[in-house]
C-alpha cells in the first residue's frame, strides 16, 4: 500500500489540429453538459465531505468539462454567451477598429491604416481590374505644408518597382527636381536663362517609327496628331481672348496637314513650328483658300486675321523662343520618371505658365500615346487649374485626357489645394465651371489631406463626405504631415498615414530652401524647429524604410529597374 495519496491522472494534451477543429467547428457542441460531481450544489458536496461546508468550493472544474469539443476554460463559454456567425464584411461593420480596410496587399506600400493598423498599398490599375473603382485617375487636395507633394512623390517612386513610369507635365514650383536628380536624371527646365526649347508641335518619336508603319496606320496616327494640334492651337488662341470658330479649326487642320507633308503620299513627315503656321495663314497659297472654299484671297485673310494675330502673340509675346522653335533636347523615355521644370517661368506671369502647361499637356499626351503596349504611366498635373483658366477648350482638353485614361493606360494625377480652384476657371454658371466640377467624378481615388473647416465644407459638398469623414480632414489630418483620408468612390474613407524613410524625407523636403534661408542669416538666425511627425511602430517604420530605399535604388539602376517589372 502506497503511503502517498493517489493522484488523478491528467489527460494527454491535445494537438494543434485537434484544438483548431474543436474551436472552429461549433456544430455538435452540446448546449447543456452532462451533470458531473463538480456541478452538484455546494451544500451536497460539503455534506459528503463530513458535514462541513466549504466556502471556496469552485463552481466548475479548474480545467473545464473534460469532454471533446467542450473547451478547457474554467467557465464554459458555450452556455453563457451565444455564438454568432457572420461574413468579414459584417464583422467589419460591428468591429471597425479591428477589421481590415479591404484594400488588397498589392502594389506600392505607402504607409498604414490607422484604424486597422494594417499596411496600406496603392495600385490604381489593379483597383480598376478588381472592380474596386471605375477609373485609375487620382486627385489630391491639401493645404500647403500638409505633405501633399511628399505623398505624390512617394506614390511615383514606389510604383517604379512595378514598371510604372511617371511624367510630370509641368513642375511649376520645381518640387520634383530633387527626385530626378537623386535618380541620375536631368530634368528639362524651361524659362529664363535655360537653353532648352520645346516645340509645341513636335513629332517626338513618331518620326522614327513612321517608316515602319503601313499606310492605314500612318493615316490613323496622322489624323490623331493633327486633331490634337488643332485643339492646342485653338486653345492658345482662346487664351488670347479670341473664340475660334469651326471654320478656323478646319483652316488650321488643313494647314497642319500640308506642312507636315501628308499631302505627298505619307512618305516622310516634316517637323513644323508655330511660326510656320502663322506664315501660311498670313501668306496663303492660292490653292489653299480655293480648297477651303473662300471666294478670294482677301476673304480668307479677313476671316483668319483674328486667329493669326492670336497665334502671332505666342511668337513675339512673353513665351517667345520657348515653344516656337525646334526641340533641342532628347528625352530618355526608358527612364522611370521625366519632368518639365517651369519654375523659371514664374517671372513671366501666370498666363505664361498656363500656356506652357497647355503646350506640355498636348505634347506629353502625344508622346505617351506611342508608349509600348502594356506600359502604364503616371501623368502628374500639378496646379492644373492654371491651365484650365485659359478657356473652354483648355478645360475640354483636360476632361478628354481623364476620360481616356483607361484606354490610353495612364493614371492621371491631379494636384490642387481646394475645390474652389475649379470654380476659378470661368464665370459662375459657365460651361467651363460645369465641366471643371465634373472632373472630380472622373477621379475615382480622392486623397484628402488636412484642410480648414471652410474648405472641409466644400469637400463635403462636392464629394459627398459624411460628418465623420469631414471631421477627419479638419481634425486628425491637420495634426501631422502625411495624414490623409483616402476615399475610393463611394467606399468609406480610410485614415492613412504616409510613412517616409530617412532617404525620402531628405529628398522630398519642400522646405529646404526656406530652412537654408533661415539658417544662413548673417546673425546666425534661429535654429530650425524639429518637425512633429506621426511615429509608426518599429516594425512598420523598418519595413516602409527598407521598401522605399529599395525602390530608390532599383529606379536608379537600369538593370534592376527592368527586372522589377511585373
Amino acid at each position: 500500500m502506497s503511503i502517498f495519496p493517489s493522484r488523478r491522472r491528467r489527460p494527454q494534451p491535445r494537438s494543434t489540429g485537434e484544438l483548431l477543429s474543436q474551436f472552429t467547428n461549433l456544430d455538435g457542441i452540446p448546449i447543456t453538459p452532462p451533470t458531473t460531481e463538480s456541478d452538484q450544489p455546494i451544500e451536497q458536496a460539503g455534506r459528503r465531505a463530513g458535514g462541513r461546508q466549504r466556502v471556496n468550493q469552485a463552481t466548475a472544474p479548474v480545467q473545464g468539462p473534460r469532454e471533446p469539443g467542450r473547451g478547457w476554460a474554467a467557465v464554459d463559454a458555450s452556455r453563457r454567451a451565444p455564438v454568432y456567425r457572420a461574413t468579414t464584411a459584417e464583422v467589419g461593420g460591428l468591429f471597425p477598429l479591428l477589421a481590415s480596410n479591404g484594400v488588397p496587399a498589392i502594389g506600392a506600400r505607402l504607409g498604414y491604416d490607422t484604424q486597422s493598423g494594417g499596411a496600406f498599398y496603392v495600385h490604381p490599375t489593379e483597383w480598376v481590374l478588381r472592380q474596386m473603382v471605375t477609373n485609375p485617375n487620382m486627385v489630391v487636395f491639401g493645404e500647403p505644408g500638409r505633405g501633399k507633394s511628399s505623398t505624390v512623390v512617394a506614390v511615383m517612386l514606389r510604383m517604379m518597382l512595378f514598371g510604372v513610369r511617371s511624367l510630370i507635365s509641368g513642375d511649376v514650383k520645381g518640387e520634383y527636381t530633387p527626385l530626378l536628380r537623386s535618380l541620375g536624371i536631368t530634368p528639362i527646365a524651361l524659362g529664363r536663362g535655360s537653353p532648352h526649347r520645346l516645340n509645341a508641335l513636335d513629332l517626338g518619336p513618331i518620326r522614327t517609327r513612321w517608316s515602319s508603319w503601313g499606310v492605314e496606320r500612318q493615316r490613323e496616327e496622322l489624323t490623331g496628331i493633327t486633331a490634337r494640334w488643332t485643339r492646342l492651337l485653338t486653345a492658345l488662341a482662346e487664351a488670347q481672348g479670341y473664340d475660334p470658330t469651326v471654320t478656323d479649326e478646319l483652316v488650321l487642320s488643313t494647314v497642319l496637314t500640308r506642312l507636315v507633308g501628308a499631302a505627298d503620299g505619307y512618305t516622310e513627315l516634316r517637323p513644323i513650328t508655330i511660326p510656320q503656321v502663322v506664315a501660311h495663314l498670313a501668306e496663303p497659297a492660292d490653292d489653299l483658300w480655293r480648297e477651303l472654299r473662300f471666294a478670294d484671297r482677301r476673304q480668307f485673310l479677313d476671316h483668319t486675321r483674328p486667329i493669326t494675330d492670336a497665334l502671332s502673340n505666342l511668337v513675339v509675346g512673353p513665351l517667345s523662343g520657348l515653344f516656337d522653335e525646334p526641340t533641342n533636347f532628347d528625352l530618355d523615355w526608358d527612364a522611370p520618371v521625366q519632368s518639365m521644370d517651369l519654375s523659371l517661368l514664374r517671372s513671366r506671369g501666370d498666363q505664361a505658365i498656363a500656356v506652357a502647361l497647355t503646350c506640355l499637356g498636348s505634347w506629353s499626351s502625344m508622346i505617351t500615346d506611342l508608349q509600348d503596349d502594356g506600359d502604364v504611366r503616371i501623368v502628374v498635373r500639378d496646379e492644373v487649374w492654371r491651365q484650365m483658366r485659359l478657356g473652354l477648350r483648355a478645360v475640354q482638353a483636360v476632361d478628354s485626357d481623364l476620360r481616356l485614361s483607361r484606354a490610353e493606360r495612364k493614371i492621371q494625377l491631379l494636384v490642387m489645394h481646394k475645390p474652389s480652384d475649379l470654380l476659378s476657371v470661368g464665370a459662375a454658371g459657365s460651361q467651363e465651371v460645369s465641366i471643371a466640377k465634373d472632373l472630380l467624378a472622373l477621379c475615382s481615388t480622392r486623397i484628402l489631406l488636412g484642410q480648414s473647416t471652410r474648405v472641409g465644407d466644400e469637400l463635403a459638398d462636392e464629394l459627398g463626405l459624411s460628418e465623420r469623414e469631414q471631421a477627419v480632414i479638419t481634425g486628425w489630418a491637420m495634426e501631422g504631415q502625411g495624414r490623409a483620408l483616402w476615399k475610393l468612390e463611394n467606399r468609406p474613407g480610410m485614415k492613412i498615414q504616409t510613412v517616409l524613410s530617412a532617404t525620402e524625407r531628405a529628398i522630398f523636403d519642400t522646405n529646404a530652401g526656406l530652412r537654408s534661408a533661415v539658417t544662413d542669416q548673417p546673425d546666425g538666425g534661429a535654429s530650425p524647429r524639429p518637425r512633429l511627425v506621426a511615429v509608426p511602430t518599429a516594425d512598420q517604420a523598418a519595413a516602409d524604410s527598407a521598401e522605399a530605399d529599395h525602390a530608390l535604388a532599383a529606379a536608379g539602376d537600369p538593370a534592376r529597374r527592368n527586372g522589377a517589372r511585373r
Side-chain angles (χ1 to χ4, degrees):
M1 182 176 181
S2 176
I3 61 175
F4 299 102
S6 61
R7 291 187 177 182
R8 202 169 183 177
R9 185 177 181 181
R10 290 181 175 270
Q12 294 295 325
R14 290 175 290 179
S15 64
T16 303
E18 185 179 1
L19 284 172
L20 290 176
S21 64
Q22 293 177 357
F23 280 93
T24 57
N25 184 13
L26 301 180
D27 295 334
I29 297 180
I31 302 300
T32 304
T35 303
T36 60
E37 180 181 351
S38 61
D39 293 330
Q40 295 178 3
I42 298 178
E43 293 79 3
Q44 297 181 11
R47 284 192 296 267
R48 281 197 303 271
R52 290 179 301 176
Q53 182 177 351
R54 293 185 58 184
V55 179
N56 62 343
Q57 176 68 38
T59 58
V62 177
Q63 294 179 320
R66 299 178 183 276
E67 289 101 13
R70 297 297 304 278
W72 285 64
V75 178
D76 187 7
S78 63
R79 291 186 300 172
R80 290 166 172 77
V83 177
Y84 296 97
R85 285 187 176 184
T87 63
T88 55
E90 294 169 339
V91 172
L94 294 174
F95 305 98
L97 300 181
L98 301 179
S100 174
N101 54 42
V103 177
I106 185 171
R109 182 175 180 179
L110 190 67
Y112 62 92
D113 189 331
T114 60
Q115 291 180 307
S116 66
F120 181 74
Y121 297 82
V122 177
H123 204 308
T125 54
E126 283 290 338
W127 292 348
V128 173
L129 297 177
R130 295 170 182 259
Q131 298 181 352
M132 299 173 56
V133 295
T134 56
N135 62 75
N137 301 326
M138 310 169 73
V139 61
V140 182
F141 287 106
E143 286 186 350
R146 295 293 99 202
K148 183 169 65 269
S149 300
S150 299
T151 301
V152 173
V153 178
V155 171
M156 291 192 304
L157 174 63
R158 301 177 188 184
M159 288 294 289
M160 294 176 190
L161 288 173
F162 302 89
V164 178
R165 299 185 178 92
S166 299
L167 173 66
I168 295 95
S169 182
D171 185 3
V172 179
K173 294 175 287 188
E175 294 179 336
Y176 304 95
T177 297
L179 172 64
L180 272 74
R181 296 193 183 280
S182 64
L183 296 175
I185 304 171
T186 302
I188 306 302
L190 300 175
R192 183 185 68 253
S194 174
H196 294 137
R197 298 294 181 265
L198 172 62
N199 181 14
L201 306 179
D202 188 74
L203 289 169
I206 194 174
R207 291 189 63 189
T208 58
R209 305 182 186 184
W210 185 260
S211 59
S212 62
W213 292 338
V215 176
E216 292 297 330
R217 176 69 184 274
Q218 291 178 348
R219 185 180 294 110
E220 179 184 354
E221 294 292 343
L222 185 61
T223 301
I225 292 173
T226 53
R228 182 176 287 108
W229 284 346
T230 301
R231 290 196 301 268
L232 171 63
L233 294 179
T234 53
L236 295 179
E238 190 177 29
Q240 307 296 321
Y242 173 66
D243 188 10
T245 64
V246 177
T247 304
D248 294 327
E249 295 180 0
L250 177 60
V251 171
L252 290 175
S253 178
T254 304
V255 171
L256 292 170
T257 303
R258 288 186 170 213
L259 287 174
V260 80
D264 61 359
Y266 306 96
T267 55
E268 184 179 357
L269 297 182
R270 295 189 294 265
I272 60 177
T273 59
I274 293 180
Q276 290 177 311
V277 177
V278 174
H280 272 67
L281 293 176
E283 297 292 337
D286 292 339
D287 59 341
L288 176 61
W289 58 265
R290 289 194 180 98
E291 179 184 348
L292 295 171
R293 302 188 306 278
F294 284 91
D296 51 24
R297 187 172 183 269
R298 173 52 53 190
Q299 185 186 21
F300 177 89
L301 292 175
D302 292 342
H303 180 86
T304 58
R305 179 167 183 172
I307 194 169
T308 303
D309 293 343
L311 295 178
S312 298
N313 291 336
L314 299 174
V315 181
V316 299
L319 291 180
S320 59
L322 294 180
F323 298 96
D324 54 3
E325 297 181 7
T327 304
N328 60 358
F329 59 86
D330 293 326
L331 283 179
D332 179 14
W333 292 104
D334 290 331
V337 60
Q338 281 292 356
S339 174
M340 302 294 177
D341 191 341
L342 302 180
S343 58
L344 299 177
L345 276 179
R346 286 179 291 181
S347 61
R348 302 198 183 191
D350 289 341
Q351 189 180 29
I353 294 178
V355 173
L357 288 174
T358 304
C359 294
L360 288 174
S362 176
W363 184 76
S364 61
S365 296
M366 184 193 68
I367 298 299
T368 52
D369 285 347
L370 300 176
Q371 62 192 5
D372 296 333
D373 292 339
D375 285 352
V376 179
R377 193 181 299 272
I378 298 176
V379 180
V380 179
R381 295 175 177 267
D382 201 349
E383 299 192 17
V384 67
W385 53 271
R386 293 177 180 266
Q387 173 185 343
M388 295 190 295
R389 280 184 177 180
L390 293 179
L392 177 60
R393 286 175 174 81
V395 177
Q396 291 174 338
V398 177
D399 179 78
S400 177
D401 290 338
L402 293 177
R403 293 181 184 276
L404 297 176
S405 59
R406 288 195 304 176
E408 297 176 351
R409 303 183 302 280
K410 298 176 186 175
I411 302 173
Q412 298 284 345
L413 202 160
L414 310 184
V415 183
M416 288 178 281
H417 294 293
K418 54 187 181 300
S420 58
D421 293 341
L422 300 175
L423 303 180
S424 64
V425 302
S430 62
Q431 187 177 0
E432 295 95 316
V433 173
S434 300
I435 298 177
K437 292 177 64 176
D438 291 340
L439 295 181
L440 297 180
L442 300 177
C443 298
S444 293
T445 303
R446 294 87 181 259
I447 308 171
L448 311 177
L449 289 96
Q451 297 281 8
S452 63
T453 303
R454 180 182 60 82
V455 179
D457 294 337
E458 295 179 10
L459 288 171
D461 294 337
E462 296 295 334
L463 303 179
L465 303 180
S466 64
E467 293 183 0
R468 295 186 60 182
E469 291 173 337
Q470 183 178 352
V472 170
I473 300 173
T474 58
W476 172 80
M478 293 289 287
E479 298 173 357
Q481 289 185 339
R483 293 183 173 187
L485 179 75
W486 283 65
K487 190 168 179 62
L488 276 60
E489 291 189 347
N490 296 325
R491 289 171 173 260
M494 298 169 286
K495 297 168 60 176
I496 305 302
Q497 170 68 64
T498 300
V499 179
L500 303 179
S501 66
T503 305
E504 289 176 321
R505 283 195 297 269
I507 295 174
F508 304 167
D509 188 5
T510 56
N511 294 326
L514 182 62
R515 186 177 294 105
S516 61
V518 173
T519 56
D520 293 343
Q521 293 179 358
D523 56 354
S527 59
R529 297 180 179 179
R531 289 185 298 171
L532 299 178
V533 297
V535 180
T537 62
D539 294 340
Q540 292 169 335
D544 291 328
S545 177
E547 182 175 2
D549 292 339
H550 176 60
L552 191 63
D557 187 351
R560 297 179 64 183
R561 183 171 68 240
N562 295 334
R565 293 187 181 183
R566 298 182 62 189

